[in-house]
């Protein structure tokens, strides 16, 4: 008589299990350096803003300076992907950190010397953006090389997301205090030091070169971009979710960033109330990251797309004219789901694309996700002036719900399995 065997349930991971990825020497070194540089990077925008305003310039000039950081990132992302796949993520990120270190040190020096002209600040912030544009594609390509066990990759990405979330909460607060007491130059000096820490951590990594990094098979830049694009577009789940992210930034997030402060000023209590909303968004991201440690859903993209539904909540709360408490709670939930989505999308991409094109695929994904953001920032105000703030925010919330439903209808999104699943269908369709 055959005996029925019951499936063995894996024990619930302990906190030590969830943090075991930190026992990997290379990842631990990188994490410490990256978290340190993130803290400095999150401080810098506050210092730059007040450096511009202290020089006697106004909102228009501040807009030019801030745009001069974003535009280079978009322009060099694709080149950054090619270079990172050629030379390796470690080399490119090290060079990017050294470039940003020099830029912030130079910015601090010119501020100490007096009130720099607008063109100088635009140029320095532009070079800073170039460094970020090369750093970002290489980051996602490097992390799998720092983790020996595939099971730990999700936890590694979760910890990096936690560092980003924590820096967005703590960095601006510390920067505000330092800027008010010691001036913007002090913050940029600290930022330069944090990049030095990040560069030192990268220099100490022992990452072996992959074949593509040895120069054995090297083609022209256009040919390598074409190969990366072919890999990107051949994966329906990948380009579909990228389109979803791009339209989210255009139709939901950009209007929220512009119209949210306006709404707070009109009926929620002003800047202090808006600061509370954004602080709770950051706190939610920290909590969401903590909740993701040790968790590996069987269908990660399904969970991630369902998580994007939470992004509609803050816009919906503002559109419905809910009081501050409910709006802040909506931001807390949205931040939590954002951490979940970021971890799952990042890990899934790393696990399901070839290592030798990973940076290029990251660059196409980042470009697609963020290229429409500036358009949304520019158009949100004028459209709201014509159609009403609630209409714009409400449309964004409804769009997010419809977009999630559309992406879940894509078969390859539902078929992608997590790394712990014994059988995994071909993710290339």
């Amino acid at each position: 008589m055959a005996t029925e065997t019951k499936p063995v349930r894996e024990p619930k991971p302990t906190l030590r299990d969830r943090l075991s990825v930190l026992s990997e020497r290379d990842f631990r070194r990188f994490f410490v350096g990256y978290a340190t540089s993130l803290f400095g990077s999150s401080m810098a925008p506050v210092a730059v803003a007040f450096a511009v305003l202290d020089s006697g310039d106004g909102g228009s000039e501040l807009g030019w300076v801030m745009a001069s950081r974003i535009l280079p990132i978009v322009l060099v992302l694709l080149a950054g992907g090619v270079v990172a796949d050629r030379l390796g993520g470690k080399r490119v990120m090290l060079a990017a950190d050294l470039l940003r270190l020099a830029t912030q040190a130079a910015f601090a020096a010119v501020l100490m010397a007096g009130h720099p002209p607008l063109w100088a600040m635009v140029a320095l912030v532009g070079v800073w953006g170039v460094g970020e544009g090369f750093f970002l594609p290489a980051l996602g390509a490097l992390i799998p090389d720092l983790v020996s066990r595939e099971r730990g990759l999700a936890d590694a990405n979760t910890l990096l997301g936690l560092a980003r979330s924590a820096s967005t909460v703590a960095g601006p607060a510390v920067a505000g205090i330092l800027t008010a007491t010691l001036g913007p130059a002090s913050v940029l000096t600290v930022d330069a030091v944090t990049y030095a820490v990040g560069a030192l951590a990268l220099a100490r990594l022992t990452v072996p070169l992959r074949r593509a990094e040895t120069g054995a098979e090297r083609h022209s830049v256009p040919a390598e971009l074409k190969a990366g694009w072919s890999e990107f577009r051949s994966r329906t789940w990948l380009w579909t979710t990228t389109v979803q992210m791009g339209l989210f930034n255009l139709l939901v997030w950009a209007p929220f960033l512009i119209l949210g402060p306006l709404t707070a000023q009109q009926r929620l209590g002003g800047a202090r109330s808006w600061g509370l909303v954004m602080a709770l968004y950051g706190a939610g991201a920290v909590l969401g990251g903590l909740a993701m440690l040790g968790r590996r859903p069987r269908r990660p993209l399904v969970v991630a797309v369902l998580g994007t539904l939470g992004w509609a909540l803050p816009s919906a709360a503002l559109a419905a004219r809910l009081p501050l408490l409910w709006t802040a709670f909506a931001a807390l939930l949205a931040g939590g789901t954002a951490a979940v989505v970021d971890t799952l999308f990042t890990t899934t991409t790393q696990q399901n694309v070839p290592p030798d094109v990973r940076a290029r695929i990251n660059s196409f994904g980042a470009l697609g996700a963020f290229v429409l953001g500036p358009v949304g920032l520019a158009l949100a105000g004028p459209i709201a002036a014509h159609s009403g703030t609630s209409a714009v925010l409400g449309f964004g919330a409804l769009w997010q719900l419809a977009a999630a439903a559309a992406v879940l209808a894509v078969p390859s999104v539902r078929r992608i399995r997590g790394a712990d699943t014994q059988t995994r269908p071909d993710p290339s369709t």
Side-chain angles (χ1 to χ4, degrees):
M1 181 176 178
T3 58
E4 183 179 351
T5 59
K6 295 183 179 181
V8 178
R9 178 177 298 179
E10 292 188 4
K12 186 177 180 180
T14 64
L15 179 61
R16 182 176 180 179
D17 295 331
R18 294 172 180 178
L19 298 177
S20 63
V21 69
L22 290 173
S23 66
E24 308 244 11
R25 184 183 61 182
D26 275 341
F27 178 76
R28 183 173 65 252
R29 287 176 175 173
F30 175 75
F31 178 76
V32 172
Y34 180 62
T36 303
S37 64
L38 273 176
F39 180 68
S41 298
S42 66
M43 296 170 65
V46 176
V48 170
F50 282 94
V52 174
L53 298 175
D54 289 347
S55 297
D57 295 317
S60 298
E61 290 80 6
L62 179 58
W64 279 104
V65 173
M66 292 304 183
S68 68
R69 179 190 179 192
I70 298 173
L71 183 60
I73 295 176
V74 174
L75 292 178
V76 306
L77 270 173
L78 296 183
V82 172
V83 174
D85 280 333
R86 281 188 174 188
L87 303 180
K90 171 186 170 179
R91 293 174 178 174
V92 173
M93 294 164 70
L94 178 57
D97 269 354
L98 293 175
L99 176 63
R100 294 185 290 179
L101 185 163
T103 301
Q104 300 304 70
F107 205 156
V110 298
L111 288 176
M112 292 176 186
H115 296 297
L118 179 64
W119 67 265
M121 292 188 284
V122 168
L124 287 167
V125 172
V127 176
W128 182 26
V130 170
E132 294 197 49
F134 277 95
F135 187 91
L136 290 174
L139 173 61
L142 176 68
I143 302 307
D145 294 334
L146 305 181
V147 181
S148 61
R149 296 170 300 168
E150 192 174 22
R151 287 174 60 93
L153 184 57
D155 288 338
N157 287 316
T158 299
L159 286 172
L160 296 175
L162 272 171
R164 286 190 289 268
S165 300
S167 68
T168 60
V169 176
V174 175
I177 296 172
L178 289 178
T179 301
T181 56
L182 301 176
S186 66
V187 176
L188 295 176
T189 301
V190 172
D191 190 21
V193 172
T194 64
Y195 281 129
V197 175
L200 178 62
L202 284 164
R204 298 183 64 196
L205 298 182
T206 56
V207 180
L209 293 179
R210 296 188 298 270
R211 185 179 180 186
E213 297 168 14
T214 66
E217 297 180 1
R218 184 167 294 178
H219 305 286
S220 66
V221 171
E224 293 192 11
L225 278 176
K226 183 178 180 181
W229 172 249
S230 178
E231 293 282 355
F232 179 83
R233 68 180 178 85
S234 69
R235 291 164 170 78
T236 305
W237 62 269
L238 183 57
W239 65 258
T240 301
T241 53
T242 299
V243 170
Q244 181 193 16
M245 296 294 182
L247 292 175
F248 159 75
N249 280 316
L250 172 68
L251 301 174
V252 185
W253 190 240
F256 175 74
L257 291 178
I258 297 298
L259 303 179
L262 178 63
T263 303
Q265 185 181 47
Q266 291 174 344
R267 65 174 185 83
L268 293 179
R272 181 175 299 179
S273 298
W274 184 244
L276 173 64
V277 171
M278 296 309 292
L280 283 179
Y281 180 91
V286 172
L287 294 174
L290 290 172
M292 276 301 297
L293 282 173
R295 300 186 186 279
R296 302 171 184 86
R298 292 177 59 85
R299 298 184 185 272
L301 282 189
V302 171
V303 176
V305 175
L306 289 174
T308 65
L309 294 172
W311 298 351
L313 296 177
S315 294
L318 292 174
R321 303 182 65 83
L322 296 181
L324 175 62
L325 180 62
W326 286 105
T327 302
F329 182 65
L332 179 73
L333 294 178
T337 60
V340 173
V341 172
D342 179 63
T343 294
L344 294 178
F345 272 134
T346 301
T347 305
T348 300
T349 301
Q350 291 167 341
Q351 292 171 338
N352 290 281
V353 302
D356 58 340
V357 295
R358 196 177 281 148
R360 276 169 284 174
I361 284 180
N362 287 340
S363 67
F364 282 114
L367 182 65
F370 296 115
V371 70
L372 295 178
V375 178
L377 293 171
L379 296 181
I383 294 177
H386 180 268
S387 303
T389 298
S390 293
V392 174
L393 292 169
F395 175 80
L398 292 174
W399 168 265
Q400 190 60 31
L401 300 181
V407 173
L408 283 174
V410 176
S412 60
V413 170
R414 301 193 303 272
R415 285 200 300 264
I416 289 285
R417 299 293 185 96
D420 292 341
T421 306
Q422 293 183 3
T423 60
R424 181 188 299 170
D426 181 9
S428 62
T429 56

